Amino acid sequence: MNNYEHTIILRQDISNSQQNTIIEKYTKLIEKNNGKIMQTQIWGLMNLSYIIKKNRKGHYIHFKIEGDGNLIKDLEKNEKIDKNILKYLTIKVKKHDLDTNYFAKKENYNEKEKSKR
């Protein structure tokens, strides 16, 4: 089994319920293909570097997945035809970092740093 980090960017005008439906859809797809989701992070609505399909912002969702190459092919094939997804990116990693959330609010990050001291 390989380790992957997979990020999708959803349209800016999508609702929270639609966002949860999309997360659930791709979670089921991953599990159907014998994959395992180690962690799901919702990074929130952020500005895009450039306009993509008339969108200036996008909702970022990040999955940390264990699976094989066929899983990623099937996942990306389904995302290619999904109208709610602007972009997606999959990266193969050696090991998952399940402790760090790089897009957490600064207050939460500062509290964690203080507790380490």
Side-chain angles (χ1 to χ4, degrees):
M1 291 281 225
N2 298 322
N3 294 322
Y4 296 97
E5 292 195 5
H6 183 73
T7 305
I8 58 176
I9 305 173
L10 305 175
R11 291 178 322 158
Q12 64 187 4
D13 59 346
I14 203 165
S15 69
N16 283 337
S17 62
Q18 288 175 312
Q19 181 177 336
N20 291 334
T21 304
I22 291 170
I23 292 170
E24 187 177 314
K25 173 185 172 183
Y26 289 108
T27 300
K28 286 180 183 176
L29 181 74
I30 290 166
E31 291 170 352
K32 186 183 98 176
N33 288 314
N34 299 321
K36 182 179 176 186
I37 294 185
M38 306 302 289
Q39 190 177 54
T40 302
Q41 297 176 347
I42 299 174
W43 291 347
L45 184 67
M46 292 190 277
N47 291 327
L48 300 172
S49 297
Y50 53 91
I51 296 174
I52 303 172
K53 298 179 185 173
K54 300 180 183 177
N55 288 276
R56 293 184 183 276
K57 295 183 178 191
H59 293 276
Y60 284 69
I61 314 274
H62 185 73
F63 297 100
K64 296 186 181 187
I65 306 169
E66 250 182 34
D68 60 358
N70 292 330
L71 161 71
I72 300 304
K73 285 180 186 176
D74 194 31
L75 184 64
E76 289 181 350
K77 183 177 93 176
N78 281 289
E79 289 172 347
K80 207 176 273 189
I81 60 174
D82 194 335
K83 300 289 184 199
N84 292 317
I85 296 179
L86 300 174
K87 290 280 186 186
Y88 58 87
L89 175 69
T90 306
I91 298 174
K92 186 175 180 181
V93 294
K94 292 182 182 178
K95 183 179 171 187
H96 289 297
D97 179 12
L98 300 175
D99 298 328
T100 309
N101 184 358
Y102 294 102
F103 292 94
K105 300 287 183 195
K106 294 220 179 218
E107 302 90 39
N108 296 342
Y109 179 74
N110 289 336
E111 289 172 14
K112 286 181 185 178
E113 287 298 314
K114 288 178 185 175
S115 65
K116 288 182 183 178
R117 294 180 192 164

